[in-house]
mmCIF file of all heavy atoms in Angstrom:
data_model
loop_
_atom_site.group_PDB
_atom_site.id
_atom_site.type_symbol
_atom_site.label_atom_id
_atom_site.label_comp_id
_atom_site.label_asym_id
_atom_site.label_seq_id
_atom_site.Cartn_x
_atom_site.Cartn_y
_atom_site.Cartn_z
ATOM 1 N N ILE A 223 98.749 -92.570 41.915
ATOM 2 C CA ILE A 223 99.032 -93.487 43.126
ATOM 3 C C ILE A 223 98.686 -94.859 42.612
ATOM 4 O O ILE A 223 97.305 -95.101 42.618
ATOM 5 C CB ILE A 223 98.375 -93.083 44.387
ATOM 6 C CG1 ILE A 223 98.731 -91.691 44.747
ATOM 7 C CG2 ILE A 223 98.652 -94.057 45.491
ATOM 8 C CD1 ILE A 223 97.957 -91.091 45.917
ATOM 9 N N VAL A 224 99.510 -95.786 42.390
ATOM 10 C CA VAL A 224 99.248 -97.134 41.776
ATOM 11 C C VAL A 224 99.054 -98.153 42.844
ATOM 12 O O VAL A 224 99.849 -98.309 43.741
ATOM 13 C CB VAL A 224 100.213 -97.466 40.714
ATOM 14 C CG1 VAL A 224 99.934 -98.740 40.106
ATOM 15 C CG2 VAL A 224 100.342 -96.441 39.575
ATOM 16 N N LEU A 225 97.900 -98.869 42.792
ATOM 17 C CA LEU A 225 97.737 -100.104 43.525
ATOM 18 C C LEU A 225 98.816 -101.157 43.200
ATOM 19 O O LEU A 225 98.888 -101.660 42.022
ATOM 20 C CB LEU A 225 96.350 -100.667 43.386
ATOM 21 C CG LEU A 225 95.237 -99.811 43.911
ATOM 22 C CD1 LEU A 225 93.896 -100.424 43.529
ATOM 23 C CD2 LEU A 225 95.172 -99.751 45.544
ATOM 24 N N THR A 226 99.838 -101.401 43.972
ATOM 25 C CA THR A 226 100.994 -102.121 43.581
ATOM 26 C C THR A 226 101.098 -103.420 44.486
ATOM 27 O O THR A 226 101.046 -103.371 45.840
ATOM 28 C CB THR A 226 102.260 -101.324 43.807
ATOM 29 O OG1 THR A 226 102.212 -100.207 42.963
ATOM 30 C CG2 THR A 226 103.390 -102.064 43.321
ATOM 31 N N SER A 227 101.423 -104.540 43.904
ATOM 32 C CA SER A 227 101.491 -105.836 44.693
ATOM 33 C C SER A 227 102.689 -105.820 45.627
ATOM 34 O O SER A 227 103.731 -105.204 45.368
ATOM 35 C CB SER A 227 101.650 -107.090 43.778
ATOM 36 O OG SER A 227 102.102 -108.122 44.329
ATOM 37 N N SER A 228 102.604 -106.593 46.762
ATOM 38 C CA SER A 228 103.626 -106.740 47.743
ATOM 39 C C SER A 228 104.744 -107.416 47.130
ATOM 40 O O SER A 228 105.970 -107.343 47.474
ATOM 41 C CB SER A 228 103.192 -107.526 48.879
ATOM 42 O OG SER A 228 102.708 -108.762 48.480
ATOM 43 N N TYR A 229 104.592 -108.160 45.898
ATOM 44 C CA TYR A 229 105.650 -108.757 45.285
ATOM 45 C C TYR A 229 106.665 -107.804 44.781
ATOM 46 O O TYR A 229 107.906 -108.049 44.684
ATOM 47 C CB TYR A 229 105.111 -109.657 44.082
ATOM 48 C CG TYR A 229 106.109 -110.193 43.196
ATOM 49 C CD1 TYR A 229 106.610 -111.512 43.504
ATOM 50 C CD2 TYR A 229 106.573 -109.607 42.015
ATOM 51 C CE1 TYR A 229 107.596 -112.104 42.647
ATOM 52 C CE2 TYR A 229 107.441 -110.157 41.287
ATOM 53 C CZ TYR A 229 108.075 -111.444 41.612
ATOM 54 O OH TYR A 229 109.053 -112.046 40.778
ATOM 55 N N HIS A 230 106.133 -106.652 44.452
ATOM 56 C CA HIS A 230 107.141 -105.555 43.906
ATOM 57 C C HIS A 230 107.724 -104.685 44.883
ATOM 58 O O HIS A 230 108.797 -104.294 44.738
ATOM 59 C CB HIS A 230 106.394 -104.712 42.844
ATOM 60 C CG HIS A 230 105.767 -105.429 41.665
ATOM 61 N ND1 HIS A 230 106.720 -105.965 40.698
ATOM 62 C CD2 HIS A 230 104.630 -105.703 41.091
ATOM 63 C CE1 HIS A 230 106.101 -106.587 39.644
ATOM 64 N NE2 HIS A 230 104.736 -106.371 39.913
ATOM 65 N N ILE A 231 106.946 -104.300 45.927
ATOM 66 C CA ILE A 231 107.452 -103.414 47.012
ATOM 67 C C ILE A 231 107.427 -103.835 48.333
ATOM 68 O O ILE A 231 107.685 -102.936 49.245
ATOM 69 C CB ILE A 231 106.682 -101.964 46.636
ATOM 70 C CG1 ILE A 231 105.190 -102.312 47.038
ATOM 71 C CG2 ILE A 231 106.849 -101.323 45.325
ATOM 72 C CD1 ILE A 231 104.402 -100.825 46.952
ATOM 73 N N GLY A 232 107.006 -105.089 48.527
ATOM 74 C CA GLY A 232 106.998 -105.525 49.960
ATOM 75 C C GLY A 232 105.735 -105.299 50.635
ATOM 76 O O GLY A 232 104.924 -104.408 50.128
ATOM 77 N N GLY A 233 105.382 -106.096 51.609
ATOM 78 C CA GLY A 233 104.053 -106.146 52.311
ATOM 79 C C GLY A 233 103.720 -104.864 52.886
ATOM 80 O O GLY A 233 102.551 -104.349 52.679
ATOM 81 N N GLU A 234 104.539 -104.307 53.635
ATOM 82 C CA GLU A 234 104.231 -103.047 54.370
ATOM 83 C C GLU A 234 104.003 -101.873 53.404
ATOM 84 O O GLU A 234 102.963 -101.101 53.576
ATOM 85 C CB GLU A 234 105.254 -102.648 55.365
ATOM 86 C CG GLU A 234 105.313 -103.723 56.660
ATOM 87 C CD GLU A 234 106.468 -103.171 57.622
ATOM 88 O OE1 GLU A 234 107.040 -102.067 57.421
ATOM 89 O OE2 GLU A 234 106.689 -104.035 58.600
#
Side-chain angles (χ1 to χ4, degrees):
I223 303 171
V224 178
L225 292 169
T226 302
S227 169
S228 60
Y229 177 85
H230 294 296
I231 59 175
E234 291 185 8

